[in-house]
Amino acid sequence: MNSQRSIARVFLAWMTAALPALALAQAAAPTVEQRLQRVEDELAIRRVITAYSNTQDAHDYDGYVTLFAQDGEWVSGTNVYKGREAIKKMLIGLYGAPPPGYVNGESFHISFNADVRLNGNTATATSRHVLFMRGPTGSPVPMLSGRYDDEFVRENGEWKIRRRVDTPVIPTAAEWTKIITELRAGK
């Protein structure tokens, strides 16, 4: 009988200690709705990352700048463009104004390895990118590889880029500037 009472006391003591911890763990677990929202948010951010490359390649400058928050920033090295109008002017300076019906047959970007970290109505992400350009024989040639470090914000119910830092890796920023200068000069 004493052993049964001892077992009962141990069980009761364990339950007294374990139940509050179990209740706390259940209360802290996200609901299905919260989990679904996180998945939808991450997917929406990944779509922005993809749309960034697609709109850039299509020279769809209006579509490109709407991916940024109203006061969004694009940064690369010492170049900082703040606000949609400044970012659009940067694109026109880089690529020129596209002719009507423009179809890009010369280059494309691929963005990949996105690591998205959500925090309520803000998020951060890092991803990699590669720019391919038409080579001398018409084959795609990888020309530039880099990293994006992003800050996102939910603006009017949609995820927007608050700040994108574009860091060339291969070639370096200085090497890439030289390549672009030579390409523009027709060398």
Side-chain angles (χ1 to χ4, degrees), residues 81-161:
Y81 300 90
K82 187 168 177 94
R84 291 177 176 174
E85 277 306 309
I87 294 168
K88 185 174 180 178
K89 285 179 184 177
M90 179 264 305
L91 290 171
I92 293 170
L94 184 62
Y95 300 115
Y102 174 79
V103 175
N104 186 347
E106 298 301 315
S107 65
F108 63 93
H109 292 81
I110 298 175
S111 296
F112 54 96
N113 290 353
D115 180 18
V116 178
R117 292 163 306 284
L118 297 162
N119 186 16
N121 287 320
T122 63
T124 58
T126 56
S127 58
R128 303 294 296 209
H129 62 90
V130 175
L131 168 63
F132 288 86
M133 296 180 80
R134 178 183 295 277
T137 63
S139 298
V141 176
M143 295 294 290
L144 173 69
S145 174
R147 183 182 75 245
Y148 295 133
D149 293 294
D150 297 324
E151 296 174 16
F152 287 89
V153 62
R154 192 187 319 262
E155 188 174 86
N156 300 319
E158 294 183 13
W159 285 100
K160 302 290 182 178
I161 301 168

